[in-house]
Amino acid sequence: MNFDPYILSIITFVPLAGALLLALLPDKGKTMQWGALAVSLFTFLCTLHLPAHYDYSAHGYQFVENCPWIAAPAINYHLGVDGLSLWLIVLTGFLAPLGVLISWNAIPKRKKTFYILFLLQQTAMFGVFVALDLFLYYAYWELTLVPMTILIATFGRTEKRRAAAIKYFLYAFIPSAILLVAVLWLYVQTGTFDVPKLTQLASVHGISANSPALWLASLAFLAAFAVKVPVFPLHGWLSDAVAEAPTAAVMVLVGKLGLYSILRFSFGIFPDESHRIAPLMIALAAIGIVYGALIALVQKDLKRLAAYGTLGHVSVAVLGIFTFTIAGLDGGIYQTLNEGLGGAAFFMLLGLLYERYQTYDMREYGGLAAKFPWMVTLFVITTLSVIGLPMLNGFVGEFLVFSGSMQWSLAHGSSFWWTALATSGVILTAAYMLWMIQRVFYGDLGIKSETVTGWDLDAREHIALWPLVAVFLVMGLASPYWTKAIDTFGAAASYPMSIYSPYVVEYNKTHHHGHVTLSIRNADGTMQQPKPIGVVDPSLAADALNKPAPQTNKGARY
């Protein structure tokens, strides 16, 4: 049976159906846990259909569903995935059953409410990743706020949980309201919410001739997404929300939705405006990497250390995507996946420590390595993944991002100090993560370590954590399996660097054995030999040569 025509709807609405089913079941024993686990496992299996049947040689959207929904305004139920959204959908499905397992005993009361909200959050996230109608996307985008806000307000660990929930909601909702204004302005200008059509219009400057209005609309989109990432300095909600949110919720709280939305909508609909603001975003990303690491370095609370560490990790992804090089874009997307995996493992392990000792204060720990050999092993592996040890997943993303950042610096004739500053974050990240390991697991026994017995990982916790370790290793050693899909988006989203560099590339239509000769003219009119400092999207080069686009997803260097 061919599931391709409706697999995206199945993935999106199975968690919603599961939430409705849980609402009808009695909240007795482990019924809610087993029900949520079954639903999330089935959803994850459905997501595996996508990479198994994805055509990695093709460009554009696949598994498309498109049918009219509302006649006026023209809103379609339009779904599809490409190299950008493919692995984000699988990642979301993969983390869901792990979130259920890690919450098995952590939520003793109001379990039905918790797992219903958790599944609703899954539906909203899947909807964001698959929606190709801007109005449909906005509906899912707003829906993600509701379950998360209630989860923080209801299941936060201290009396500050409601204040943290309100702060999170206001930070996310106010820019989203401005985003809605920009969405409606786009519809008035173009008569469509269809994302592929809007992207096509943007590529030929067909959205609006009013440059100031277009610029303001692009800022409205970017601001809404940057808050959700969060991009420094729009991270005011982050530490409180992470500190209060239950583990399963915080695993999906940061990074993925905002970074995906910048790549899909800001870059797709406002490409020129995104390029113009790129230098500022690169500077903010570099500052965010170092700022997050330095603040994490002085934290005593493990949850707040993780929150500021997360700010640094998502800033690495922001740095990569705004270079508009293939290496940077691929690395930024790869780093988005890494942040989701490494962050999930780290928060899960912190949640297990809290279950045993009811504190996140590092000053009360110490000497746990001898008592909990399995836990310290997984903490160390997760730490090595987060700091980018070669052969693990974090190294691949960071290497590509910093390579793309250096390409951007050279292509623009600008200083490489932003790249150097960002790279120093690698050292600082290693410092605070290894310092955390030393404080918690080695040295003398702390107050909690000595007075509370605790226990090492049980079978359920092993099942929840070891799949993440396996993915760390596989993504580190076999990264081309992931990047072959990611690169189809990265190559298409990258622009010829010459457009935004001090050089002008002149396409010489003289071919020699299938190669195109390119020459570079400086701003003062003098000529120079080509330098391998940028990346050209082959489809754009083909347009300049009046030739068909090549059937490849690899960029060409000039």
Side-chain angles (χ1 to χ4, degrees):
M1 187 174 181
N2 183 16
F3 290 99
D4 287 3
Y6 38 83
I7 185 62
L8 297 183
S9 291
I10 293 174
I11 292 170
T12 304
F13 292 113
V14 162
L16 176 61
L20 295 175
L21 178 62
L22 292 185
L24 299 175
L25 294 176
D27 188 1
K28 295 181 180 179
K30 303 292 185 181
T31 303
M32 294 297 107
Q33 290 96 316
W34 284 111
L37 181 62
V39 172
S40 58
L41 279 173
F42 179 73
T43 306
F44 173 54
L45 291 176
C46 291
T47 66
L48 295 180
H49 179 90
L50 302 182
H53 295 82
Y54 190 84
D55 184 357
Y56 295 94
S57 64
H59 293 272
Y61 298 102
Q62 301 182 34
F63 309 103
V64 174
E65 302 177 41
N66 192 3
C67 59
W69 182 19
I70 300 174
I75 302 173
N76 284 8
Y77 180 74
H78 191 183
L79 312 180
V81 298
D82 61 358
L84 170 61
S85 52
L86 172 66
W87 290 115
L88 289 170
I89 294 170
V90 177
L91 172 65
T92 304
F94 175 65
L95 293 179
L98 305 185
V100 174
L101 286 172
I102 214 67
S103 305
W104 203 267
N105 297 323
I107 308 297
K109 299 178 180 179
R110 306 183 71 175
K111 292 180 289 185
K112 176 180 285 192
T113 301
F114 177 84
Y115 288 107
I116 288 175
L117 291 171
F118 180 75
L119 292 176
L120 287 176
Q121 182 72 17
Q122 294 297 306
T123 287
M125 292 184 66
F126 284 130
V128 166
F129 292 138
V130 301
L132 294 181
D133 182 278
L134 203 52
F135 192 89
L136 180 64
Y137 161 82
Y138 185 81
Y140 284 123
W141 174 264
E142 289 294 278
L143 181 59
T144 61
L145 299 181
V146 179
M148 187 62 67
T149 301
I150 299 175
L151 283 170
I152 296 172
T154 306
F155 299 96
R157 63 187 174 100
T158 72
E159 67 279 359
K160 297 180 180 179
R161 58 186 180 273
R162 290 182 177 83
I166 293 171
K167 180 185 286 189
Y168 165 75
F169 182 82
L170 291 177
Y171 260 89
F173 179 76
I174 293 173
S176 294
I178 301 172
L179 171 64
L180 178 60
V181 175
V183 168
L184 296 176
W185 177 83
L186 279 175
Y187 182 79
V188 170
Q189 296 298 311
T190 63
T192 183
F193 288 117
D194 190 72
V195 174
K197 290 180 181 178
L198 289 170
T199 303
Q200 185 178 13
L201 286 170
S203 67
V204 295
H205 306 282
I207 290 180
S208 175
N210 189 336
S211 296
L214 201 60
W215 177 248
L216 289 175
S218 72
L219 291 178
F221 272 70
L222 183 60
F225 304 149
V227 168
K228 202 66 173 285
V229 172
V231 174
F232 174 88
L234 304 175
H235 62 284
W237 60 270
L238 180 63
S239 60
D240 289 339
V242 168
E244 293 297 331
T247 300
V250 79
M251 286 166 61
V252 298
L253 181 61
V254 182
K256 295 183 288 294
L257 296 178
L259 289 165
Y260 165 82
S261 298
I262 291 174
L263 288 159
R264 172 73 73 221
F265 302 105
S266 290
F267 287 8
I269 301 175
F270 306 101
D272 294 339
E273 291 74 19
S274 297
H275 279 87
R276 292 191 187 104
I277 205 170
L280 172 62
M281 299 302 296
I282 287 173
L284 292 177
I287 295 170
I289 292 169
V290 176
Y291 172 84
L294 288 174
I295 300 298
L297 197 58
V298 299
Q299 294 300 311
K300 301 297 188 294
D301 185 278
L302 285 166
K303 262 291 190 76
R304 293 191 181 275
L305 178 148
Y308 286 107
T310 299
L311 173 62
H313 301 150
V314 297
S315 295
V316 173
V318 173
L319 174 68
I321 64 177
F322 274 95
T323 64
F324 288 98
T325 62
I326 292 180
L329 284 159
D330 287 357
I333 299 169
Y334 209 84
Q335 193 64 16
T336 303
L337 300 176
N338 291 338
E339 189 280 324
L341 292 165
F346 190 42
F347 283 116
M348 288 166 70
L349 289 164
L350 294 182
L352 295 180
L353 271 181
Y354 187 81
E355 280 187 37
R356 288 153 173 77
Y357 293 103
Q358 299 300 302
T359 183
Y360 285 114
D361 192 336
M362 279 189 286
R363 294 170 294 185
E364 299 186 28
Y365 287 109
L368 290 179
K371 300 173 66 175
F372 304 152
W374 281 115
M375 182 176 288
V376 69
T377 298
L378 286 165
F379 256 102
V380 170
I381 293 173
T382 300
T383 295
L384 295 177
S385 170
V386 169
I387 65 179
L389 182 75
M391 294 198 306
L392 295 178
N393 59 322
F395 174 77
V396 178
E398 288 184 351
F399 179 81
L400 289 172
V401 166
F402 295 134
S403 297
S405 180
M406 185 57 72
Q407 288 180 22
W408 177 86
S409 298
L410 294 173
H412 287 71
S414 61
S415 170
F416 62 89
W417 289 113
W418 288 126
T419 302
L421 178 66
T423 306
S424 69
V426 175
I427 300 172
L428 294 172
T429 300
Y432 74 73
M433 290 296 290
L434 295 175
W435 175 72
M436 179 273 298
I437 292 291
Q438 191 275 330
R439 289 288 301 273
V440 173
F441 290 100
Y442 296 97
D444 298 330
L445 290 173
I447 297 172
K448 288 288 185 178
S449 306
E450 190 172 22
T451 58
V452 179
T453 303
W455 63 93
D456 206 352
L457 300 180
D458 58 28
R460 171 182 57 83
E461 293 162 347
H462 276 290
I463 293 172
L465 288 164
W466 280 104
L468 286 165
V469 174
V471 175
F472 292 163
L473 186 61
V474 174
M475 288 185 68
L477 296 177
S479 57
Y481 181 73
W482 280 264
T483 56
K484 65 181 179 180
I486 292 171
D487 194 53
T488 61
F489 178 86
S494 63
Y495 276 63
M497 303 278 280
S498 58
I499 296 176
Y500 299 94
S501 75
Y503 305 108
V504 176
V505 173
E506 296 181 343
Y507 293 89
N508 186 330
K509 296 189 178 183
T510 302
H511 291 252
H512 180 66
H513 298 297
H515 297 285
V516 179
T517 302
L518 301 178
S519 59
I520 297 179
R521 176 169 51 83
N522 296 325
D524 60 4
T526 60
M527 304 300 294
Q528 67 177 57
Q529 293 297 316
K531 294 181 179 180
I533 57 174
V535 180
V536 173
D537 180 357
S539 63
L540 294 174
D543 289 342
L545 298 168
N546 297 319
K547 297 293 183 181
Q551 296 300 314
T552 176
N553 61 356
K554 301 298 182 184
R557 296 190 177 277
Y558 62 83

